[in-house]
Amino acid sequence: MNLLYANDVRGTDAPSWYAATAVARIDHPRLEGDHRADIAIVGGGYTGLSAALHLAQRGYSVALADAQRVGWGASGRNGGQVGSGQRLDPEEMDHLVGRDASDRLWHLAEEAKVLVRDLINHHEIDCDYRPGIIHAAHRARYIQAMKDEVTHLEERHGYETTFLPRDALQEIIASPAYHAGVIDPGGAHLHPLNYALGLAKAASNAGVRIFEQSEVTTVTETGITTAHGRIAADHIILACNGYLGNLMPEVAARVMPINNFIIATTPLDTDVATRVIANDMAVADTKFVVNYYRLSADRRLLFGGRESYGYRFPRDIKSFVRKAMIEIYPQLSDTPIDYGWGGTLAITMNRMPHFERLGKNVLSCSGYSGHGVAMATMAGALAAEAVAGQAERFDLLRTIPHARFPGGVALRWPLLVLAMVWYSMRDRL
């Protein structure tokens, strides 16, 4: 079996709560024979589907190939949080790219959230979109930084968030684990697989030809090839993220796949659910390996956390993640876990998205580092702009400096494991 898919049954969705509650799928054929399109897209997650939809709306002929099914990867398995800003905090952003570019990247991320909402509304995507994210400090030393960021966002960007001292936070989140928090009313959360399936339906309705069960083996400047067919095209967009494999080594050197995991409890009694998260917002904490969680529409706690490296998952995902959940909510220690699943995302060294031009007509967008629901959707729109000759915003992200992972593809995982052990120890101190 190809190691890339060693943890999943090919052609089926992960056995997640998302898959169990997904809207009806539209099946798409396998790529067979020779085809022609203006643009060929590799990958049927948020990036590829958004690019396909935006290009079709501009009048281009578009063909998209996915090794599995649309939404099969991280786009159908993630925590569903639509976060504000970029993955780096403002000071780190200023240092990395300068103040002007930092501000432009902030506003681009704000546009990404608007784009998600607009797509949901315009295409009537039923994905349980709900507003609000709480950022929670797991150590008291982060309190001042949270206060400073609230001030920074309001003074520099006119963006209002609300700082919560410990007592106020515990009225919303019944956990002893946190010292303070910030409410971001402009963030949101949604059902990620239904969102992906909604994008796929919209793209298909716009004329995009979607091919599933069609793993791309070769990419050139004139098209893409699978085991059973080929798409000749004038432009290629790589939208593979954590499932790129060895398809494009120059991208793989800077974008590394890691695995993250989520569990879903049995439905909670109303009073218990209200105490877990009183205002129905999503939560993400300050650990380097972030805990993130929210309530589902049927009052389950969907709790994500912990990571693994390489393409293999833990044997018992439920127990693996349950430990982290009980640290936050000891009162749920006897609550049954109905679902446990994992997915592969992609990170970069600096945790910023990696945009690249691979020759004159091949574009790549990946490396969202756990911040991809909105930014991957925007990446697809920016790739569409670049193909149409409006590359300024794509190039803003393309010019972000990205280091190669040390040790190359062969040694990057062992070295990352050593680094993560250090960060894990820091989280505990």
Side-chain angles (χ1 to χ4, degrees):
M1 177 181 289
N2 187 328
L3 184 59
L4 186 59
Y5 306 110
N7 306 282
D8 298 283
V9 178
R10 294 182 66 113
T12 66
D13 290 310
S16 65
W17 178 82
Y18 298 139
T21 56
V23 298
R25 269 189 176 275
I26 299 172
D27 292 326
H28 300 280
R30 185 174 70 175
L31 176 63
E32 295 184 343
D34 292 335
H35 297 259
R36 170 74 197 175
D38 295 328
I39 298 98
I41 298 174
V42 185
Y46 300 145
T47 302
L49 294 169
S50 174
L53 174 59
H54 284 92
L55 285 162
Q57 290 173 335
R58 288 174 175 265
Y60 292 95
S61 66
V62 184
L64 181 152
D66 192 275
Q68 297 295 318
R69 308 171 84 191
V70 293
W72 180 88
S75 292
R77 311 186 192 200
N78 65 79
Q81 296 198 12
V82 185
S84 298
Q86 299 288 348
R87 183 69 167 78
L88 293 182
D89 65 36
E91 184 177 346
E92 291 173 313
M93 284 286 296
D94 288 353
H95 178 74
L96 180 66
V97 297
R99 183 184 176 100
D100 178 65
S102 177
D103 285 346
R104 292 171 63 198
L105 288 165
W106 163 263
H107 291 295
L108 189 65
E110 287 303 287
E111 287 185 50
K113 294 190 303 184
V114 174
L115 177 61
V116 170
R117 291 198 300 268
D118 286 350
L119 288 170
I120 291 169
N121 292 333
H122 181 75
H123 298 286
E124 298 180 343
I125 300 174
D126 182 10
C127 61
D128 195 30
Y129 179 94
R130 286 176 281 169
I133 293 178
I134 299 171
H135 300 280
H138 81 290
R139 291 288 182 264
R141 66 177 180 267
Y142 294 115
I143 293 175
Q144 188 58 51
M146 282 189 160
K147 291 179 178 179
D148 292 344
E149 186 165 0
V150 168
T151 301
H152 168 91
L153 292 176
E154 184 172 4
E155 292 181 349
R156 185 158 159 182
H157 300 300
Y159 188 83
E160 294 187 1
T161 55
T162 302
F163 176 78
L164 299 173
R166 184 169 192 159
D167 290 347
L169 179 64
Q170 289 190 341
E171 290 180 5
I172 301 172
I173 302 173
S175 171
Y178 299 126
H179 296 263
V182 172
I183 288 181
D184 176 8
H189 55 108
L190 49 71
H191 188 302
L193 179 56
N194 280 346
Y195 174 55
L197 296 178
L199 290 178
K201 181 179 179 181
S204 183
N205 289 342
V208 176
R209 287 169 286 164
I210 297 175
F211 299 99
E212 297 181 319
Q213 300 294 296
S214 302
E215 183 175 353
V216 173
T217 56
T218 305
V219 175
T220 69
E221 291 195 351
T222 59
I224 61 175
T225 304
T226 72
H228 302 281
R230 185 175 188 275
I231 302 170
D234 299 321
H235 297 272
I236 315 297
I237 297 174
L238 295 177
C240 307
N241 204 38
Y243 293 91
L244 177 69
N246 295 319
L247 190 60
M248 198 61 65
E250 52 264 59
V251 176
R254 294 174 172 84
V255 178
M256 180 164 66
I258 65 171
N259 308 312
N260 206 254
F261 305 96
I262 303 177
I263 56 176
T265 68
T266 191
L268 304 176
D269 291 340
T270 302
D271 60 333
V272 176
T274 302
R275 288 293 296 141
V276 167
I277 307 175
N279 62 3
D280 201 24
M281 291 186 175
V283 181
D285 66 23
T286 52
K287 286 191 173 183
F288 187 82
V289 179
V290 179
N291 291 318
Y292 53 94
Y293 48 94
R294 62 197 184 92
L295 293 170
S296 67
D298 58 354
R299 300 192 314 277
R300 300 173 188 269
L301 181 63
L302 307 179
F303 190 98
R306 310 199 69 183
E307 294 179 347
S308 70
Y309 314 101
Y311 279 116
R312 295 196 179 278
F313 294 175
R315 291 185 180 276
D316 185 353
I317 291 174
K318 292 179 182 179
S319 297
F320 185 66
V321 182
R322 183 192 186 97
K323 178 180 178 182
M325 183 187 77
I326 299 307
E327 290 177 355
I328 306 301
Y329 290 113
Q331 66 269 39
L332 299 182
S333 59
D334 295 327
T335 302
I337 306 299
D338 285 349
Y339 299 90
W341 68 95
T344 301
L345 62 146
I347 63 172
T348 60
M349 284 281 286
N350 60 20
R351 300 304 190 265
M352 289 294 290
H354 179 262
F355 283 35
E356 189 61 85
R357 289 182 178 272
L358 304 163
K360 64 179 182 180
N361 62 343
V362 181
L363 304 179
S364 173
C365 306
S366 59
Y368 306 109
S369 303
H371 199 67
V373 177
M375 280 308 301
T377 304
M378 177 56 80
L382 299 184
E385 288 179 2
V387 168
Q390 301 166 318
E392 180 181 359
R393 301 203 301 170
F394 182 93
D395 287 340
L396 172 64
L397 283 131
R398 185 181 63 83
T399 55
I400 295 173
H402 283 280
R404 292 173 174 265
F405 280 94
V409 174
L411 294 178
R412 60 184 180 172
W413 276 323
L415 290 174
L416 178 66
V417 170
L418 290 174
M420 295 308 296
V421 168
W422 185 88
Y423 280 114
S424 179
M425 292 175 60
R426 191 191 69 169
D427 279 343
R428 291 186 176 95
L429 295 176

